[in-house]
């Protein structure tokens, strides 16, 4: 219930409470009735559905980050990456900014500045003669962290709308996948000097496993007797997680050529941390030289890139993930249905697999009956068009 307080000056202050019990002033007035009326009116507003305390929006982004960040449920690798983004890019600009005062214009200006500013190279130096700017995809990752934080602030009813959405950035162009021919892959494999490195490449292109799935593969999931591999784990380089991408265990056939170079390690625990602390029943199939999980960047720089150059394929800009694309393209070229390819790759939706559709052989068998001669001639499809001499215009 609203009330009034008489001040030493002889004026009156109207008082009321928020829904949480906090006291608030409705201002000071010369007369007690005016002070009470103002307090009653203010109290009525805060009791209406959907009322928001306008002072909450004065919370700064830095203060909100301390509340929002611990509530996030994200992977450790993602957390490490986003902590770096917050420390290096978001905090310097938005730490002291009240949430309610962040405008879309301000965010757009900040994002544009991230795009055009000259950033330091690996040696920490900024070269004014040869400016180095961030890629749009990098700025988008930075912006997405701010978007996530402000979306949470909307959900917490601190701000009404998210000012970081619909920010305009140049389009990001994903690098198109590379599909090797069998001859190209044979040249690449032959250019790899180490047998175990060659074994890993053969396994990747022969099974379609992702790098993280192959490097998390344990001996107990490699069934050479029945020529089958069970994909049930994945690694981000720091720990073993008990599910592959898509969270579905899958079984992939093995072929002799894909394991010819493989030397099976001794059956001992892998020594890598497992998510949920479950015990490790066997060692890794492809451990690093000193134990533990292999690093994809090290493998690319030490093995893949030199081999590509030696094989005359350096201009392809091939990545380790392109070996998975190559596996799928070989399946499609030999007529394996997209649904089966999706199962082997562990895709949750066949839509993802449709990027390989253009490799499927094109025949007329499936439509031959529907397109039978309407004049009553035989239904079958001939192997060539009789009397074909080239297209010509009808005059």
């Amino acid at each position: 219930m609203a009330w009034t307080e008489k001040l030493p000056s002889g004026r009156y202050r109207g008082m009321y409470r928020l829904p949480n019990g906090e006291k608030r002033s409705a201002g000071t007035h010369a007369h007690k009735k005016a002070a009470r009326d103002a307090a009653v009116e203010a109290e009525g507003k805060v009791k209406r559905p959907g009322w928001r305390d306008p002072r909450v929006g004065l919370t700064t982004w830095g203060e909100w980050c301390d509340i929002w960040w611990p509530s996030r449920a994200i992977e450790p690798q993602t957390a490490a990456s986003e902590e770096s983004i917050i420390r290096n890019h978001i905090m310097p600009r938005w730490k002291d900014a009240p949430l309610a005062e962040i405008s879309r214009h301000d965010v757009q200006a900040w994002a544009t500045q991230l795009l055009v500013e000259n950033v330091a190279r690996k040696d920490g130096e900024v070269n004014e003669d040869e400016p180095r700017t961030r890629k749009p995809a990098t700025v988008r990752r930075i912006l997405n962290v701010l978007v996530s934080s402000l979306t949470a602030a909307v959900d917490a009813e601190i701000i009404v709308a998210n000012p970081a959405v619909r920010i305009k950035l140049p389009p990001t162009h994903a690098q198109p996948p590379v599909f090797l021919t069998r001859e190209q892959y044979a040249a690449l494999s032959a250019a790899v000097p180490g047998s175990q490195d060659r074994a890993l490449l053969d396994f990747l292109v022969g099974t379609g496993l992702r790098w993280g799935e192959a490097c998390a593969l344990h001996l107990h999931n490699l069934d050479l007797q029945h020529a089958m591999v069970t994909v049930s784990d994945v690694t981000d380089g720091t720990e073993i997680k008990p599910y592959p991408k898509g969270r579905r265990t899958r079984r992939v056939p093995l072929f002799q050529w894909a394991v010819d170079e493989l030397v099976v390690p001794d059956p001992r625990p892998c020594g890598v941390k497992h998510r949920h602390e479950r015990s490790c029943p066997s060692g890794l199939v492809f451990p690093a030289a000193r134990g533990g999980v292999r690093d994809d960047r090290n493998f690319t720089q030490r093995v893949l890139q030199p081999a590509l150059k030696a094989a005359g394929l350096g201009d392809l800009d091939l990545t380790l993930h392109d070996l998975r694309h190559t596996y799928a393209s070989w399946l499609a070229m030999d007529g394996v249905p997209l649904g089966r390819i999706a199962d082997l790759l562990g895709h949750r939706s066949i839509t993802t697999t449709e990027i390989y559709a253009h490799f499927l052989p094109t025949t007329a068998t499936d439509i031959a009956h529907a397109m039978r001669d309407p004049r009553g001639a035989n239904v079958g499809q001939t192997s060539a068009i009789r009397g074909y001499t080239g297209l010509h215009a009808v005059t």
Side-chain angles (χ1 to χ4, degrees):
M1 178 178 291
W3 72 97
T4 61
E5 295 177 350
K6 189 172 183 179
L7 303 177
S9 63
R11 295 175 62 84
Y12 291 87
R13 178 192 292 134
M15 298 295 295
Y16 65 99
R17 292 185 185 276
L18 298 181
N20 63 4
E22 181 183 345
K23 295 179 181 180
R24 284 288 173 86
S25 168
T28 60
H29 302 266
H31 302 287
K32 183 175 182 179
K33 183 178 185 304
R36 180 175 176 78
D37 289 345
V40 169
E41 181 180 1
E43 186 179 50
K45 289 180 179 179
V46 304
K47 290 182 177 179
R48 293 173 187 168
W51 176 84
R52 294 175 60 258
D53 185 353
R55 296 199 308 184
V56 174
L58 298 180
T59 302
T60 66
W61 191 89
E63 293 169 339
W64 171 241
C65 183
D66 291 339
I67 299 171
W68 161 70
W69 182 256
S71 69
R72 304 196 73 199
I74 53 178
E75 296 289 338
Q77 192 174 31
T78 303
S81 173
E82 294 193 0
E83 282 177 342
S84 175
I85 287 173
I86 289 172
R87 181 174 60 255
N88 295 320
H89 302 292
I90 300 181
M91 276 293 187
R93 172 61 182 87
W94 303 108
K95 178 181 178 181
D96 297 323
L99 295 179
E101 295 180 10
I102 299 176
S103 69
R104 184 165 284 110
H105 172 79
D106 292 337
V107 178
Q108 179 68 69
W110 171 68
T112 302
Q113 179 61 30
L114 289 174
L115 276 172
V116 302
E117 71 177 336
N118 188 8
V119 297
R121 301 176 184 275
K122 291 182 179 179
D123 58 7
E125 296 295 326
V126 176
N127 191 330
E128 298 295 345
D129 297 327
E130 298 179 8
R132 177 174 177 262
T133 57
R134 296 183 182 89
K135 295 179 180 179
T138 301
V139 176
R140 176 62 64 184
R141 286 197 298 272
I142 296 171
L143 179 61
N144 283 344
V145 178
L146 181 64
V147 170
S148 296
S149 70
L150 296 179
T151 296
V154 173
D155 293 341
E157 300 183 348
I158 295 175
I159 54 177
V160 176
N162 188 336
V165 297
R166 300 195 303 277
I167 298 302
K168 294 181 180 179
L169 294 173
T172 56
H173 301 286
Q175 180 177 326
V178 177
F179 306 100
L180 295 179
T181 65
R182 288 174 172 80
E183 293 75 18
Q184 286 175 322
Y185 179 73
L188 171 63
S189 180
V192 177
S195 62
Q196 280 303 88
D197 292 334
R198 199 160 53 245
L200 179 51
L201 285 179
D202 287 349
F203 195 87
L204 288 170
V205 81
T207 62
L209 266 66
R210 302 174 180 90
W211 174 266
E213 294 170 344
C215 290
L217 183 65
H218 287 69
L219 292 171
H220 66 277
N221 283 331
L222 184 69
D223 187 351
L224 296 178
Q225 181 178 356
H226 297 94
M228 196 69 65
V229 57
T230 300
V231 186
S232 60
D233 295 302
V234 69
T235 180
D236 58 6
T238 58
E239 64 175 351
I240 304 291
K241 297 183 286 187
Y243 51 81
K245 191 173 182 180
R247 307 198 178 206
R248 291 192 306 170
T249 296
R250 68 185 191 279
R251 287 167 59 80
V252 180
L254 286 174
F255 299 94
Q256 186 60 52
W257 67 267
V259 294
D260 270 343
E261 299 278 358
L262 178 62
V263 176
V264 179
D266 295 332
R268 57 187 178 187
C270 70
V272 182
K273 177 186 176 183
H274 282 248
R275 178 74 61 89
H276 307 315
E277 302 296 333
R278 68 185 179 92
S279 60
C280 177
S282 64
L284 297 176
V285 177
F286 298 103
R290 297 182 179 180
V293 176
R294 286 190 179 226
D295 181 76
D296 58 332
R297 289 171 294 185
N298 176 276
F299 189 89
T300 296
Q301 294 172 2
R302 182 180 58 82
V303 178
L304 182 61
Q305 291 177 347
L308 286 167
K309 185 176 181 180
L313 302 173
D315 59 340
L316 291 183
D317 202 17
L318 183 92
T319 68
L320 288 169
H321 197 73
D322 287 324
L323 298 177
R324 176 174 164 86
H325 291 312
T326 296
Y327 167 81
S329 70
W330 291 355
L331 294 176
M333 280 189 288
D334 278 354
V336 178
L338 286 182
R340 175 63 171 145
I341 297 174
D343 289 339
L344 292 169
L345 293 176
H347 288 165
R348 301 182 71 176
S349 169
I350 197 172
T351 303
T352 310
T353 320
E354 288 176 352
I355 66 168
Y356 310 110
H358 65 285
F359 288 106
L360 293 172
T362 302
T363 68
T365 305
D366 56 339
I367 65 170
H369 182 76
M371 295 307 297
R372 61 189 181 276
D373 192 335
R375 299 165 299 182
N378 32 349
V379 173
Q381 179 202 9
T382 56
S383 59
I385 306 298
R386 292 187 296 273
Y388 175 76
T389 58
L391 297 176
H392 58 86
V394 177
T395 58

